[in-house]
Amino acid sequence: MLICFSLKWICKVNSITLWEEERYTDGSKWRFLEHKGPVFAPPYEPLPDKVRFYYDGKPMKLSAPAEEVATFFAKMLDHEYTTKDIFRKNFYKDWRKEMTSEEKSKITDLNKCNFSDMNEYFKAQSEARKQMSKEEKLKIKEENERLLQEYGFCIMDNHKERIGNFRIEPPGLFRGRGDHPKMGMLKRRIRPEDIIINCSKDSKHPKPPPGTKWKEVRHDNKVTWLASWTENIQGSIKYIMLNPSSRIKGEKDWQKYETARRLKKCVDRIRAQYRDDWKSKEMRIRQRAVALYFIDKLALRAGNEKEEGETADTVGCCSLRVEHIKLYPKLDDQEYVVEFDFLGKDSIRYYNKIPVEKRVFKNLQLFLENKQPEDDLFDRLNTSILNKHLQELMDGLTAKVFRTYNASITLQQQLKELSCSDDSIPAKVLSYNRANRAVAILCNHQRAPPKTFEKSMQNLQTKIDEKQNQLSAARKQLKAAKADHKASHDDKSKKAVEVKRKAVQRIEEQLMKLQVQATDREENKQIALGTSKLNYLDPRISVAWCKKWAVPIEKIYNKTQREKFAWAIDMAEKDYEF
DNA sequence: CGTAGGACTTGGTCTGATGGGA
DNA sequence: TCCCATCAGACCAAGTCCTACG
């Protein structure tokens, strides 16, 4: 990227606010980096003898390694996935690797294994944890705090920064999401010998636990991570990195939104270009143009290729297959409708029916010709081709910038449309949430309906019913008061009418509020707002909106979010335009 | 060019803490 | 004061995109 950002960064060091400007132009991320290394998962504690594992109805004492892996399964017994074939198969295979040869020959069928005693034990344990006294709980809290203070921070250049994840992931059974072919496999324990430490040469290097060694200590200031290890399920690398509140993350975030704002300036040109490309003589260009249209209009993800059989079968735009779309020349009263139905990231279903322009429709028909359902829709396109093209259209442009751009611009537009100066603060916050929701829907950010959803909806409905009863009672009283007044025509009865009228009005308002709340909650049933708020919406839009409408920023961002967006809170004035 | 590895962002779910109402 | 719904934060999986290598 050609643009060199120089962000004035506010740092609070010993409660003194410093302004600092330092940017590296050679691609290095820091000069000085010092930390204490990661915190390892606690060692395995064998079960008390009274907690039994049964094989084929008979109690059996397991060796510690086999027992540990068995407890991972036992803890999950209530989960549906322990009943799934693939999960059981993968677990059993990996479990056997931990058994002694004696155990291996004895245990030959997972179906004959009974973990329920172990399961009960863990349930009792977690129950006991809940029942702990205040003092015990406080002690744990203090210990956690101590760990955080010791391992949770590092020094990067001149600042003490919070580390995002300083604890190493404990061993367990890999779950994965959706139909993952590796679900149930054993995620092995990470030892110091697996860890690569990254820090600066002139720093105090972290010490490995007594009697152990790090895999390697390196001093690579072209990267931001403090420690890494290779995970055994996919063979990918995991990292320990800084918290979103850190300078290095904040700056990157800011940069991301600046790129999206540059897209705003040239999006018209790019749109005109891809519309033109729909007519191209070359198939690859038409495919590229239609894919880009989807990415822009529907905020689809790029859709990298994935290794088959290694992960769940999910797709994004470039990896869409014929089976994922249906074309309707006419549907109800709309023309040229495309129906999308596929599993995206995290196996979240994307389902949408949208009318498209005739040219797009005709192109899609062309792309589908002579193909099987499992064939690629865009067989002449992949993310690297697409991104190369985008790079030529604008410096730093990639497919995901469209998601950021469209999310942020939508928020800004919606806020403009929905905000009303006469509204109370709660009403304004509601408008904000609605705007946020519009974005979440665009980005297809879904959640499983909360477990207590039905119940809490019912509670709310009960309240509404009660309010309604109150209202009709109040109306009756008003009517009676009116009749009374008509009969007597005195001052006292006149006042009574007024009182009753006010009461009706107040109850009507309360009812309205409840109904709005119910609508809001219902609309939010399957929508997750957090992801867009955290990753797609330029925080300066929200900060400016708060300033403009005199809404306290705390109503929009909680403490963590305010820390993450400190740069924006400091930067944006009420007239900020994305 | 295609591929693999590496670094970093984005994502949903689960759990324990919290705080408001009975 | 207790209970329960809500929320923040932890957790860790799963994407994107870039670079180096053959």
Side-chain angles (χ1 to χ4, degrees):
Chain A
M1 191 165 306
L2 299 169
I3 290 162
C4 179
F5 291 93
S6 91
L7 170 60
K8 285 186 175 178
W9 197 254
I10 291 200
C11 310
K12 294 204 162 61
V13 176
N14 299 331
S15 70
I16 304 164
T17 301
L18 305 173
W19 285 89
E20 179 220 14
E21 276 183 75
E22 45 174 306
R23 215 76 347 271
Y24 303 116
T25 47
D26 61 349
S28 50
K29 307 286 170 63
W30 45 264
R31 291 273 137 87
F32 182 80
L33 175 60
E34 181 171 282
H35 59 94
K36 290 284 202 104
V39 172
F40 289 90
Y44 178 64
E45 276 185 45
L47 293 172
D49 283 337
K50 65 173 190 344
V51 183
R52 298 274 182 74
F53 162 76
Y54 295 90
Y55 187 71
D56 207 8
K58 292 186 268 301
M60 178 175 172
K61 179 75 187 163
L62 296 170
S63 64
E67 187 188 84
E68 179 178 11
V69 178
T71 63
F72 299 154
F73 193 85
K75 283 177 187 167
M76 296 173 147
L77 236 45
D78 294 332
H79 261 106
E80 195 216 343
Y81 43 76
T82 54
T83 63
K84 289 192 176 176
D85 258 4
I86 300 181
F87 190 94
R88 294 174 71 86
K89 203 181 110 262
N90 286 333
F91 160 72
Y92 184 60
K93 191 174 162 211
D94 282 359
W95 187 30
R96 285 188 71 78
K97 292 180 198 156
E98 303 299 315
M99 293 179 189
T100 62
S101 49
E102 205 180 321
E103 285 164 342
K104 261 188 222 165
S105 59
K106 233 177 176 174
I107 300 172
T108 55
D109 183 358
L110 181 57
N111 293 317
K112 290 182 180 166
C113 296
N114 180 348
F115 302 94
S116 55
D117 206 20
M118 295 160 85
N119 178 261
E120 308 260 309
Y121 171 71
F122 291 120
K123 268 194 211 150
Q125 290 247 302
S126 88
E127 202 47 45
R129 223 170 307 131
K130 274 182 214 154
Q131 299 301 322
M132 274 187 311
S133 69
K134 261 196 187 129
E135 292 74 35
E136 288 172 302
K137 280 186 181 168
L138 189 67
K139 220 172 139 191
I140 292 175
K141 207 175 165 186
E142 279 170 352
E143 173 60 15
N144 277 332
E145 183 60 28
R146 194 189 63 75
L147 228 52
L148 173 68
Q149 289 306 325
E150 179 161 7
Y151 294 96
F153 295 86
C154 72
I155 308 286
M156 186 174 274
D157 291 345
N158 296 313
H159 313 294
K160 185 174 173 184
E161 302 270 32
R162 181 87 192 265
I163 298 171
N165 55 326
F166 58 93
R167 285 168 203 275
I168 301 278
E169 295 170 19
L173 302 184
F174 176 80
R175 173 56 186 91
R177 303 209 243 266
D179 257 334
H180 199 115
K182 300 195 171 184
M183 64 168 85
M185 281 175 63
L186 174 64
K187 218 168 64 154
R188 60 166 236 285
R189 180 177 291 271
I190 304 302
R191 307 153 303 153
E193 290 76 11
D194 302 313
I195 302 283
I196 301 173
I197 295 289
N198 194 34
C199 62
S200 57
K201 239 178 223 162
D202 58 350
S203 73
K204 221 197 276 166
H205 297 189
K207 280 202 284 289
T212 66
K213 285 195 298 205
W214 302 122
K215 180 179 183 182
E216 182 192 335
V217 177
R218 66 171 74 157
H219 313 289
D220 181 358
N221 76 347
K222 297 285 194 283
V223 298
T224 66
W225 52 268
L226 317 188
S228 73
W229 70 93
T230 301
E231 151 271 343
N232 69 300
I233 303 287
Q234 325 269 0
S236 65
I237 307 169
K238 298 238 175 174
Y239 302 92
I240 286 181
M241 288 185 188
L242 296 192
N243 188 275
S245 63
S246 59
R247 188 216 88 212
I248 206 153
K249 293 285 186 191
E251 238 170 54
K252 200 77 190 297
D253 208 32
W254 176 59
Q255 215 178 97
K256 174 181 78 186
Y257 292 112
E258 287 308 297
T259 306
R261 290 175 86 197
R262 283 192 290 120
L263 173 57
K264 185 190 177 192
K265 288 191 197 133
C266 61
V267 73
D268 289 340
R269 188 192 90 220
I270 290 170
R271 284 173 176 160
Q273 158 99 258
Y274 69 60
R275 297 172 65 87
D276 214 40
D277 286 346
W278 293 340
K279 299 177 277 186
S280 169
K281 290 190 295 284
E282 284 185 77
M283 182 62 118
R284 58 175 192 99
I285 291 179
R286 287 185 182 223
Q287 290 194 357
R288 197 180 67 192
V290 170
L292 185 51
Y293 168 74
F294 286 158
I295 284 170
D296 183 20
K297 188 181 172 77
L298 303 174
L300 299 190
R301 295 187 187 83
N304 285 306
E305 290 116 297
K306 302 167 64 177
E307 215 177 323
E308 215 173 315
E310 292 293 298
T311 58
D313 178 22
T314 63
V315 297
C317 186
C318 293
S319 49
L320 280 169
R321 298 191 296 262
V322 171
E323 59 194 317
H324 296 131
I325 65 164
K326 267 192 204 146
L327 302 181
Y328 301 96
K330 252 203 183 95
L331 189 69
D332 303 327
D333 50 353
Q334 290 178 315
E335 283 189 309
Y336 309 122
V337 174
V338 185
E339 181 185 63
F340 292 83
D341 192 351
F342 61 89
L343 296 182
K345 182 177 178 180
D346 293 309
S347 293
I348 298 291
R349 185 179 180 205
Y350 183 93
Y351 181 81
N352 202 357
K353 271 191 269 195
I354 60 141
V356 299
E357 296 182 48
K358 186 175 174 183
R359 273 224 165 81
V360 171
F361 196 85
K362 294 288 169 194
N363 269 313
L364 287 169
Q365 286 178 323
L366 182 68
F367 304 161
L368 292 177
E369 269 173 27
N370 303 317
K371 282 190 194 166
Q372 300 299 310
E374 62 278 14
D375 290 342
D376 286 338
L377 173 62
F378 303 115
D379 52 304
R380 309 281 174 90
L381 184 70
N382 62 39
T383 55
S384 120
I385 296 171
L386 179 66
N387 280 337
K388 218 163 269 164
H389 172 64
L390 292 176
Q391 185 59 232
E392 282 161 15
L393 296 178
M394 185 193 102
D395 181 43
L397 187 61
T398 62
K400 84 187 184 89
V401 178
F402 282 89
R403 250 167 104 81
T404 312
Y405 162 72
N406 279 308
S408 288
I409 203 79
T410 301
L411 178 77
Q412 190 169 75
Q413 277 163 357
Q414 288 287 308
L415 285 178
K416 237 175 228 164
E417 232 165 79
L418 297 172
S419 303
C420 176
S421 54
D422 299 337
D423 280 348
S424 61
I425 300 249
K428 282 176 183 159
V429 172
L430 184 68
S431 298
Y432 182 90
N433 288 339
R434 286 222 158 116
N436 193 166
R437 185 148 59 232
V439 176
I441 289 168
L442 175 73
C443 293
N444 198 41
H445 290 141
Q446 298 188 30
R447 61 167 181 175
K451 281 196 187 83
T452 53
F453 184 83
E454 289 309 326
K455 204 176 148 206
S456 86
M457 256 348 246
Q458 253 169 31
N459 288 348
L460 200 53
Q461 192 55 50
T462 319
K463 274 191 193 168
I464 289 173
D465 291 346
E466 274 168 21
K467 218 24 104 183
Q468 233 139 20
N469 289 340
Q470 267 184 43
L471 183 61
S472 49
R475 278 190 180 140
K476 258 184 211 148
Q477 286 182 23
L478 175 61
K479 214 171 168 185
K482 273 181 182 167
D484 197 28
H485 175 58
K486 217 170 182 179
S488 59
H489 277 290
D490 60 3
D491 253 15
K492 194 178 154 199
S493 65
K494 193 180 172 186
K495 260 183 197 156
V497 169
E498 264 323 292
V499 167
K500 296 296 175 196
R501 198 193 300 282
K502 282 256 168 68
V504 167
Q505 218 171 45
R506 197 180 59 237
I507 294 169
E508 272 174 346
E509 270 168 27
Q510 287 169 338
L511 179 62
M512 177 101 91
K513 229 180 187 172
L514 285 172
Q515 277 165 340
V516 166
Q517 204 184 338
T519 319
D520 197 40
R521 199 175 296 179
E522 185 66 47
E523 283 175 11
N524 230 21
K525 181 177 180 181
Q526 304 205 63
I527 312 284
L529 300 183
T531 302
S532 50
K533 203 175 190 176
L534 241 41
N535 300 301
Y536 289 104
L537 301 176
D538 182 345
R540 290 168 294 182
I541 299 169
S542 303
V543 172
W545 179 85
C546 282
K547 286 189 176 163
K548 180 167 178 188
W549 301 100
V551 176
I553 192 80
E554 295 78 14
K555 299 274 178 203
I556 300 301
Y557 292 137
N558 67 32
K559 186 166 144 281
T560 325
Q561 293 164 339
R562 291 198 299 277
E563 280 164 12
K564 166 165 175 163
F565 296 134
W567 60 272
I569 293 170
D570 181 56
M571 208 185 271
E573 295 305 328
K574 70 174 193 301
D575 54 353
Y576 174 79
E577 277 266 342
F578 174 75

